[in-house]
């Protein structure tokens, strides 16, 4: 078909002008899910060829698997959107976006920039979550154990459980972890005990430790230590008597 280009000036301005029309070739990715290519894990590359260009691709997801997309190179103000098979947005991000699939199906990844054009590359990875995100099905570890895991995708949370005895103290030391790593301890009712990785048990029960790091991913390692409190925390609970010599 034929298009027209109209030129004009504001107010009473006059003067010469020139313009150039360039054919940039076919769009490398469609702007909608219709006809979008199915991608698999690995590096995905494309080019935002014109202002407002959107690149859409699809991927098959399996319930219980995690999926992560990390930007390697991209123009300014680059943005990614993950949507499910119904077109509902699941996650958005600028440098990395990930999710744990709640159901199997075909999802889409859309990339664009609000202000720039240029080449982009996104690293697509997937795998099985090493620890559940809730207490349900969380593994139990013993006293004095060192536990290792990985925050596999942006927003990943790893949960483990451990038995505690009233009157004993418990401390979790972070040996290695990605940036922004947070350790949260909860009692058997799911109430947060402490977020600094240390507490004195007031009841004999099964507690949980939850680790996460916002959008950062990577390996982590925790060591649990516990012992008997050397003195009570209040005077009325069998506190030892000190003898003062004069």
């Amino acid at each position: 078909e034929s298009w027209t280009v109209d030129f004009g000036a504001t107010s009473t301005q006059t003067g010469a002008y020139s313009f150039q029309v360039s054919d940039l070739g076919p769009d490398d990715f469609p702007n909608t899910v219709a006809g979008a290519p199915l991608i698999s894990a690995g590096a995905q590359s494309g080019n935002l060829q014109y202002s407002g260009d959107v690149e859409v691709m699809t991927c098959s997801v399996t319930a219980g698997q995690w999926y992560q997309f990390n930007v390697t190179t991209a123009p300014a103000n680059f943005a990614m959107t993950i949507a499910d098979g119904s077109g509902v947005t699941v996650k958005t991000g600028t440098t990395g976006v990930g999710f744990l699939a709640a159901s199997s199906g075909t999802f889409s990844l859309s990339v664009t920039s609000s202000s720039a054009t240029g080449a982009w590359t996104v690293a697509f990875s997937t795998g099985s979550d090493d620890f559940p995100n809730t207490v349900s099905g969380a593994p139990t570890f013993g006293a004095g154990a060192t536990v290792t895991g990985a925050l596999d995708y942006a927003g990943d949370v790893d949960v483990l459980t451990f038995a505690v005895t009233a009157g004993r103290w418990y401390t979790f030391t972070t040996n290695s972890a990605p940036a922004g790593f947070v350790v949260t301890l909860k009692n058997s009712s799911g109430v947060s005990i402490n977020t600094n990785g240390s507490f004195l048990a007031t009841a004999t029960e099964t507690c949980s430790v939850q680790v996460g790091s916002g959008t950062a991913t990577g390996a982590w390692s925790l060591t649990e230590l516990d012992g008997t409190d050397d003195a009570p925390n209040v005077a009325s609970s069998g506190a030892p008597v000190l003898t003062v010599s004069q």
Side-chain angles (χ1 to χ4, degrees):
E1 61 182 344
S2 297
W3 286 39
T4 61
V5 181
D6 296 329
F7 300 93
T10 60
S11 186
T12 59
Q13 294 175 339
T14 60
Y17 68 88
S18 65
F19 71 95
Q20 178 179 344
V21 177
S22 299
D23 184 353
L24 301 178
D27 201 6
D28 53 352
F29 287 91
N31 289 13
T32 66
V33 173
L38 183 68
I39 62 173
S40 55
Q44 310 297 326
S45 298
N47 190 8
L48 298 177
Q49 296 154 301
Y50 57 91
S51 178
D53 190 11
V54 178
E55 318 258 72
V56 182
M57 56 220 80
T58 62
C59 61
S60 297
V61 305
T62 302
Q65 293 280 107
W66 57 263
Y67 298 83
Q68 178 69 27
F69 299 86
N70 289 327
V71 175
T72 304
T73 57
N77 298 313
F78 190 71
M80 299 180 290
T81 301
I82 302 291
D84 64 17
S86 300
V88 177
T89 298
V90 176
K91 285 289 183 69
T92 61
T94 55
T95 58
V97 60
F99 66 98
L100 183 69
S103 60
S104 300
T106 301
F107 281 38
S108 66
L109 169 68
S110 303
V111 302
T112 189
S113 169
S114 61
S115 62
T117 60
W120 59 265
T121 300
V122 172
F124 171 25
S125 56
T126 181
S128 299
D129 203 9
D130 53 353
F131 291 99
N133 291 10
T134 65
V135 173
S136 177
T140 299
F141 64 96
T146 293
V147 185
T148 59
L151 299 177
D152 301 301
Y153 58 93
D156 188 15
V157 174
D158 289 342
V159 180
L160 304 92
T161 62
F162 60 102
V164 304
T165 303
R168 293 182 67 83
W169 55 262
Y170 296 84
T171 295
F172 291 84
T173 301
T174 302
N175 304 311
S176 59
F181 191 69
V182 176
V183 177
T184 302
L185 304 173
K186 296 183 178 181
N187 63 19
S188 57
S189 299
V191 177
S192 180
I193 302 170
N194 210 325
T195 56
N196 65 7
S198 183
F199 71 103
L200 179 69
T202 58
T204 298
E205 58 184 342
T206 298
C207 294
S208 64
V209 54
Q210 172 183 300
V211 300
S213 190
T215 59
T217 60
W220 57 264
S221 173
L222 283 181
T223 298
E224 187 270 354
L225 296 174
D226 64 88
T228 302
D229 202 10
D230 54 356
N233 291 8
V234 294
S236 60
S237 299
V241 177
L242 298 178
T243 301
V244 179
S245 300
Q246 296 184 359

